[in-house]
């Protein structure tokens, strides 16, 4: 019994070994078969990639190499192509690698029937970039640096001088206190403010950012018309005389026609603190304030209210703008300050010029 059991065990071990060996052999065969299939698929993929690359490559890149060959050996290429095509018919699809090679060589007979056209294209392509290469180095960059350096050096020097002068000499003038009040005839009467210099005008004058020594003169004008106001003159100066900033004066004093008699109107040039357009000189417009009295003073004299209002306005402007190198700001009629090259009779022959002695 014991021997029979040992025999059975040995037989089972032998059978197991035989089965295991056959399984290993079968697995090796299957693995080899799978590897062969994978290799074939890889070869197919490579052949397809080579075909796609050959088809995707641009013609002008391949054109220069076959041109030289065709020039030296124009006849044998079609023969080789025919031989290869015949070899393909007889081969009956022997190898897939041969297919990839034939796919790479097949586009050659397509290019052979038109060598002259390709040569003409190549000649045009080679000739075309020549004018482009000549046009690229334009003579524009050579003259640019020379004037740029000269202008920049001069401009920088001028700007530095102007800025240093402005920063050192000028600053904002602090606004003065409100104008003093008058008192009535009797000592117990209530104080009365200025008659023509209203609180709105005072606030407009005080709020403007006035720089020190900005204004050197105050110039008095007449409008040359019997009626008008700041709005009418602004429209005329902007749309008829084509002045960009409109009203040429900083202040306008009415005569009772379009505005009240002695009413003071503040112009936009004062609020913005920009140069006027009332004198025939850019330099004088930049340093002089313009006050216009409505009326034609070659035919009539200004009203008493206009003169009183102008006097109040001038005295407060002197306090607001501060003193200049010559002291208080001088007050001049237009005819005295205008350049002699452009004479004028403004503010008119009937204007009382003795009135300027008050200042």
């Amino acid at each position: 019994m014991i021997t029979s059991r040992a025999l059975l065990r040995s037989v089972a071990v032998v059978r197991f070994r035989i089965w295991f060996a056959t399984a290993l052999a079968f697995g090796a065969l299957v693995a080899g078969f799978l590897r062969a299939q994978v290799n074939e698929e890889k070869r197919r993929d490579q052949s397809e990639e080579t075909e796609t690359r050959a088809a995707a490559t641009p013609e002008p890149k391949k054109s220069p190499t076959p041109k030289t060959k065709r020039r030296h050996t124009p006849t044998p290429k079609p023969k080789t192509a025919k031989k290869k095509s015949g070899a393909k018919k007889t081969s009956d699809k022997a190898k897939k690698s041969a297919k990839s090679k034939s796919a790479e060589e097949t586009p050659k007979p397509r290019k052979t029937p038109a060598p002259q056209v390709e040569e003409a294209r190549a000649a045009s392509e080679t000739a075309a970039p020549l004018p482009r290469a000549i046009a690229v180095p334009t003579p524009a960059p050579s003259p640019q640096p020379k004037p740029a350096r000269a202008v920049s050096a001069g401009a920088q020097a001028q700007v530095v001088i102007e800025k240093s002068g402005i920063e050192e000499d000028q600053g904002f003038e602090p606004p003065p206190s409100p104008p003093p009040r008058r008192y009535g005839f009797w000592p117990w009467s209530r104080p009365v403010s200025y008659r023509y210099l209203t609180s709105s005008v005072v606030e407009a004058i005080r709020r403007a950012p006035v720089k020190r020594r900005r204004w050197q003169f105050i110039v008095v004008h007449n409008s040359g018309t019997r009626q008008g106001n700041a709005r009418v003159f602004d429209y005329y100066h902007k749309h008829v005389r084509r002045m960009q900033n409109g009203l040429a004066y900083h202040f306008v004093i009415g005569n009772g026609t379009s505005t009240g008699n002695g009413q003071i109107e503040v112009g936009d040039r004062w609020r913005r603190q920009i140069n006027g357009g009332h004198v025939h000189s850019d330099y004088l417009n930049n340093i002089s304030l313009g006050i216009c009295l409505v009326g034609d003073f070659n035919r009539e004299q200004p009203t008493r209210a206009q003169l009183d209002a102008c006097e109040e306005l001038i005295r407060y402007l002197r306090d607001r703008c501060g003193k200049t190198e010559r002291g208080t700001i001088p007050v001049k009629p237009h005819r005295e300050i205008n350049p002699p090259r452009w004479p004028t009779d403004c503010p008119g022959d009937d204007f009382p010029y003795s009135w300027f002695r008050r200042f």
Side-chain angles (χ1 to χ4, degrees):
M1 293 295 291
I2 296 170
T3 57
S4 62
R5 288 180 183 177
L7 289 172
L8 290 173
R9 288 179 182 175
S10 63
V11 170
V13 170
V14 171
R15 287 179 181 178
F16 176 76
R17 289 178 180 178
I18 293 168
W19 178 82
F20 184 74
T22 54
L24 289 176
F26 183 76
L29 291 173
V30 171
F33 182 73
L34 292 174
R35 288 177 184 174
Q37 287 184 350
V38 170
N39 292 329
E40 287 179 359
E41 289 179 357
K42 287 183 179 179
R43 289 177 183 177
R44 288 178 184 177
D45 295 336
Q46 289 178 358
S47 62
E48 289 177 358
E49 288 178 0
T50 53
E51 288 178 359
T52 54
R53 287 178 183 175
T57 50
E59 293 180 0
K61 292 182 179 179
K62 293 181 179 179
S63 58
T65 54
K67 284 175 187 177
T68 55
K69 291 179 181 179
R70 286 171 190 171
R71 288 178 184 176
H72 293 291
T73 58
T75 53
K77 286 187 179 179
K79 292 180 181 179
T80 56
K82 289 179 180 178
K83 289 179 181 178
K84 289 179 182 178
S85 62
K88 287 179 184 179
K89 291 178 181 179
T90 57
S91 62
D92 295 329
K93 300 180 180 179
K95 293 181 181 180
K96 294 179 181 180
S97 61
K99 288 183 181 180
S100 62
K101 292 181 180 179
S102 62
E104 293 178 355
E105 293 175 356
T106 48
K108 292 182 180 178
R110 292 181 183 175
K111 297 180 181 179
T112 51
Q116 295 179 356
V117 177
E118 290 179 355
E119 289 176 0
R121 289 180 182 175
S124 62
E125 289 175 357
T126 53
L130 290 174
R132 290 181 184 173
I134 293 169
V136 169
T138 54
S142 58
Q144 283 180 356
K146 292 181 181 178
R149 290 174 183 174
V151 173
S152 62
Q156 286 178 0
Q158 292 179 359
V159 169
V160 169
I161 292 171
E162 292 178 359
K163 283 186 177 180
S164 62
I166 291 172
E167 290 176 358
E168 291 178 359
D169 297 339
Q170 292 187 358
F172 289 105
E173 187 73 24
S177 58
R181 297 177 178 272
R182 295 181 183 175
Y183 291 89
F185 180 76
W186 303 103
W188 57 82
S189 61
R190 294 182 179 179
V192 180
S193 61
Y194 273 99
R195 183 175 180 182
Y196 303 102
L197 200 64
T198 61
S199 59
S200 61
V201 175
V202 170
E203 286 298 320
I205 295 173
R206 287 169 59 86
R207 288 179 182 177
V210 182
K211 291 184 178 180
R212 293 178 181 175
R213 300 181 182 180
R214 170 71 168 85
W215 306 109
Q216 304 289 326
F217 297 96
I218 297 176
V219 183
V220 179
H221 303 259
N222 73 326
S223 64
T225 59
R226 293 187 176 180
Q227 59 185 1
N229 55 16
R231 182 177 60 82
V232 174
F233 299 153
D234 179 71
Y235 180 86
Y236 174 75
H237 291 161
K238 186 177 293 183
H239 297 284
V240 179
R241 296 184 62 182
R242 304 294 180 184
M243 299 177 72
Q244 183 178 2
N245 295 312
L247 180 64
Y249 311 106
H250 295 86
F251 300 93
V252 178
I253 300 176
N255 62 349
T257 56
S258 301
T259 55
N261 188 14
Q263 181 179 346
I264 301 172
E265 294 180 282
V266 182
D268 188 56
R269 290 180 185 262
W270 170 261
R271 292 188 178 92
R272 295 165 57 191
Q273 287 295 294
I274 60 176
N275 59 332
H278 51 93
V279 182
H280 208 294
S281 171
D282 293 336
Y283 173 73
L284 293 174
N285 281 327
N286 195 36
I287 61 173
S288 60
L289 294 171
I291 302 174
C292 177
L293 277 63
V294 179
D296 184 4
F297 301 147
N298 283 323
R299 299 179 181 179
E300 57 186 4
Q301 290 187 350
T303 63
R304 186 67 188 175
Q306 282 182 303
L307 294 176
D308 292 344
C310 189
E311 182 178 356
E312 292 180 5
L313 177 61
I314 289 172
R315 294 189 184 281
Y316 191 66
L317 286 176
R318 278 181 159 182
D319 294 338
R320 179 68 183 90
C321 299
K323 293 185 179 182
T324 63
E325 296 178 354
R326 297 182 297 273
T328 54
I329 299 175
V331 183
K332 298 288 183 181
H334 184 198
R335 63 167 59 182
E336 292 184 7
I337 199 171
N338 211 51
R341 186 178 177 181
W342 294 279
T344 180
D345 58 358
C346 180
D349 295 334
D350 291 342
F351 190 91
Y353 289 95
S354 59
W355 175 81
F356 288 97
R357 296 176 185 174
R358 301 181 180 185
F359 308 103

